[in-house]
Amino acid sequence: MSPQETGAGLFDECPRIEETPTSSIIDNRGANTLLARLETITAGGRELAIASAFFSLDGLALLGPTLAAYSRIRVLFGDDANPTERHKLLRIMRERSDSDFLQRRFAEPTLAGLQHVARVFEEGRVEARCYTHHKFHAKAYLVERPDLYPAQLGIIGSGNFTRPGLTRNVELNVELTLEQTAQLRAWYEERWAEAQTDVVTEDLLNDIKRQIELYDPYIIFLKALMAWGARQTEAHTAETSDILAALDPHQMHGYLRAAKLIETHGGCMICDGVGLGKSYIALAVMERFCREGRNVLLIAPKSILATSWQTYLTDYLDDYLDGWG
């Protein structure tokens, strides 16, 4: 037989990847994960085509360092939600990605893999389409690596392009023969042509940036301060009384915070500057405890009791006075 008939010599000039023999079945048990197999077959690749019913950005992040060298990455995805409503598809993808990345941050706080993916998106090397003709449940991975043999590799099965689908769920995927890979290529191109025009990559890039862009430390400080402040004033906001109605907004804030501190720690000190209404804040705190039927002891210099506090107490706490003056 001639070399052309046997195939000998056809790929003599193409480098071959020496791979450890493994089963063509990929089920995510032990080290036999879909992620590990994709990392193997995508090494040295130039184009990756993905079909996945469910899609999360964390799937791309897992392959981020490998994909950094790719010239083209195509993602064809759908969902069980109404396939004609693109915003639902994106919302569900976003929810999955947020959940995935929240777990991922424990091991990789800066999401370094997603940094690689962001650059690929920013350079326009990623295309993503939503399949909207029917419910889409295909799961397929197709790698083009023209400088290696074999030049095309394909995997089909049950594993979605999400962290669970790539690493955790017990799946049933199979690596294809060369003939089957060629058929998968033809099938993918037909479905890609049928899919919705590429209008989602900008949304995907925005979601990636939302995950990896660092906040200014001052913004983080302000957010923490706001959260802390809310915890100090969250109680008793529905109260009404004459003294509360007389408080200015900053005094009401001081009262709420003082009430919360007393509840939490058993006491507090009001240390505002001169003329900001510390006495009115104290009156509001006293009125609250009187309203609850609790005894209140007021200690002050005699001159202040006569010139200031007697008027305050008569005007606002007269119903609770016992033997005053």
Side-chain angles (χ1 to χ4, degrees):
M1 298 179 68
S2 68
Q4 286 74 20
E5 292 173 311
T6 62
L10 291 179
F11 299 99
D12 287 348
E13 297 181 0
C14 292
R16 296 171 181 258
I17 295 289
E18 296 296 331
E19 299 172 352
T20 302
T22 56
S23 169
S24 61
I25 298 296
I26 309 156
D27 59 7
N28 283 351
R29 294 192 303 162
N32 186 28
T33 65
L34 180 55
L35 174 63
R37 190 66 59 90
L38 286 174
E39 287 176 333
T40 298
I41 71 172
T42 54
R46 290 294 174 265
E47 183 175 324
L48 173 64
I50 300 167
S52 180
F54 305 135
F55 170 51
S56 76
L57 292 175
D58 198 22
L60 282 171
L62 288 170
L63 289 173
T66 303
L67 300 182
Y70 270 61
S71 59
R72 189 185 189 195
I73 301 165
R74 289 187 289 171
V75 181
L76 180 62
F77 69 100
D79 207 281
D80 279 333
N82 184 341
T84 63
E85 299 183 31
R86 170 175 162 266
H87 70 280
K88 283 190 176 181
L89 303 182
L90 292 172
R91 176 179 55 79
I92 293 172
M93 181 217 67
R94 184 175 297 115
E95 291 172 355
R96 287 199 183 93
S97 296
D98 286 349
S99 176
D100 289 339
F101 286 131
L102 183 61
Q103 296 299 318
R104 183 62 180 165
R105 287 184 191 277
F106 289 102
E108 191 183 353
T110 61
L111 300 178
L114 200 59
Q115 305 278 351
H116 294 287
V117 177
R119 286 193 291 272
V120 174
F121 267 85
E122 289 170 342
E123 293 169 5
R125 290 184 274 156
V126 178
E127 303 168 50
R129 294 188 181 185
C130 298
Y131 192 84
T132 60
H133 288 271
H134 305 283
K135 285 187 177 181
F136 189 78
H137 287 278
K139 293 93 176 176
Y141 304 88
L142 187 64
V143 177
E144 293 285 337
R145 45 185 206 176
D147 298 329
L148 300 172
Y149 175 81
Q152 288 189 123
L153 292 173
I155 295 174
I156 61 172
S158 62
N160 283 305
F161 198 59
T162 61
R163 178 175 291 274
L166 293 171
T167 62
R168 293 199 297 266
N169 295 344
V170 176
E171 305 286 358
L172 187 57
N173 305 289
V174 62
E175 190 169 339
L176 303 178
T177 65
L178 296 180
E179 178 186 359
Q180 291 168 334
T181 300
Q183 294 182 40
L184 174 60
R185 162 67 69 181
W187 178 91
Y188 190 92
E189 296 300 342
E190 290 177 2
R191 302 294 81 75
W192 182 261
E194 293 173 352
Q196 185 176 343
T197 305
D198 183 11
V199 293
V200 300
T201 50
E202 183 176 350
D203 294 310
L204 296 177
L205 178 56
N206 288 335
D207 272 336
I208 291 172
K209 290 182 176 179
R210 184 169 60 87
Q211 298 287 350
I212 63 176
E213 287 185 343
L214 299 179
Y215 289 101
D216 184 282
Y218 182 65
I219 298 299
I220 297 175
F221 165 74
L222 290 180
K223 292 283 288 184
L225 190 62
M226 290 176 63
W228 176 82
R231 290 179 61 85
Q232 305 307 313
T233 61
E234 60 189 9
H236 306 292
T237 55
E239 298 176 55
T240 57
S241 70
D242 290 343
I243 182 59
L244 291 179
L247 296 181
D248 289 335
H250 74 277
Q251 294 167 338
M252 174 60 78
H253 177 82
Y255 159 70
L256 292 172
R257 183 178 174 191
K260 182 66 176 180
L261 288 172
I262 292 171
E263 283 183 353
T264 306
H265 303 289
C268 77
M269 296 180 66
I270 300 170
C271 304
D272 287 340
V274 176
L276 293 180
K278 296 184 296 296
S279 298
Y280 283 90
I281 295 173
L283 276 169
V285 173
M286 294 164 63
E287 192 268 346
R288 177 194 159 198
F289 287 113
C290 288
R291 192 163 10 99
E292 293 178 355
R294 300 166 69 178
N295 293 325
V296 175
L297 174 64
L298 173 63
I299 301 176
K302 183 175 181 180
S303 60
I304 297 178
L305 284 173
T307 59
S308 300
W309 278 102
Q310 184 171 2
T311 302
Y312 294 148
L313 294 173
T314 301
D315 289 345
Y316 295 105
L317 300 181
D318 190 57
D319 292 341
Y320 304 106
L321 294 179
D322 183 13
W324 171 261

